Amino acid sequence: MESGASGRGLYAVVLAAGESRRFGSPKQLATIDGQTLVRRAMQTAWSVAGERVLLVAGHEWRDVSRASGPGAGFLLVNDAYREGLGTSIACAARALAHCADAILLLLADQPAVAPGDLGRLLTHWTGDAREIVAARYADTLGPPVLFPSACFAELARLRGDRGARDLFADERFRVIPVDCPAAAADVDTPADLEKF
């Protein structure tokens, strides 16, 4: 493992399966400074997880996979991507349940999130299987977020577009918030992209 994960079985998961309806085309393929959003996210993931990176693609998955760039990692195609983000998280949890102690979820459309942001999240994780570490920004908790193995069964059952936020209120888990203002900036529309 790379820095921050102390040899534990942590995998970084880049979620990039959506249809980007509000953007009008696959936003994962949009570029900032000549680099696609999905490649930026993959490079950030590689910085903390090395070869233990999983790209979850769906809509236009071949193009998204090619745009993610060369490098270590795994590709998982979510055929149910039209049903929402929850299905991509569920696919990743099922795929990694046998080998991961935790998964660090990143969104491809948060281009301001940097390796240092992920490093701060990882330094707050003690390795406890019931300890969630979530980015805190804009008065909310959300991705990037580290889910430990005790969450995997719940994650594997996710459906629709709700994501995994319900686990933050689940009394079985302890949530550690880590300030991450960079995560507040996401790309949903072409206007959002222009801000970068």
Side-chain angles (χ1 to χ4, degrees):
M1 287 296 299
E2 298 292 318
S3 63
S6 303
R8 294 190 293 262
L10 177 123
Y11 283 72
V13 177
V14 175
L15 300 173
E19 293 182 275
S20 311
R21 291 185 189 117
R22 291 174 59 194
F23 195 81
S25 63
K27 62 184 173 183
Q28 305 92 317
L29 306 179
T31 60
I32 295 175
D33 297 329
Q35 189 176 57
T36 62
L37 293 184
V38 67
R39 181 163 174 74
R40 288 172 70 98
M42 289 293 284
Q43 286 185 330
T44 301
W46 290 327
S47 73
V48 298
E51 295 182 356
R52 294 179 179 179
V53 175
L54 176 68
L55 170 65
V56 181
H59 182 65
E60 303 291 347
W61 69 266
R62 289 178 183 85
D63 291 337
V64 170
S65 176
R66 279 192 291 270
S68 70
F74 305 92
L75 170 66
L76 178 63
V77 177
N78 174 18
D79 292 327
Y81 67 88
R82 288 184 183 90
E83 297 174 22
L85 177 67
T87 62
S88 289
I89 297 171
C91 281
R94 288 192 295 268
L96 296 174
H98 70 287
C99 60
D101 294 327
I103 56 176
L104 177 61
L105 298 179
L106 299 81
L107 301 180
D109 65 358
Q110 290 178 310
V113 171
D117 297 311
L118 301 187
R120 280 192 301 280
L121 289 175
L122 294 182
T123 61
H124 284 80
W125 184 48
T126 67
D128 189 315
R130 298 195 174 276
E131 189 174 79
I132 298 170
V133 184
R136 177 170 52 199
Y137 51 92
D139 298 322
T140 191
L141 295 175
V145 57
L146 182 149
F147 287 105
S149 58
C151 296
F152 288 0
E154 295 297 327
L155 295 176
R157 288 193 285 270
L158 290 175
R159 296 289 179 268
D161 205 32
R162 286 189 49 83
R165 283 200 172 119
D166 287 350
L167 290 181
F168 297 161
D170 191 317
E171 62 185 16
R172 292 173 296 173
F173 308 111
R174 182 166 72 97
V175 180
I176 299 174
V178 178
D179 288 335
C180 184
D186 63 354
V187 175
D188 284 327
T189 66
D192 294 333
L193 185 65
E194 289 178 10
K195 295 176 184 175
F196 288 92

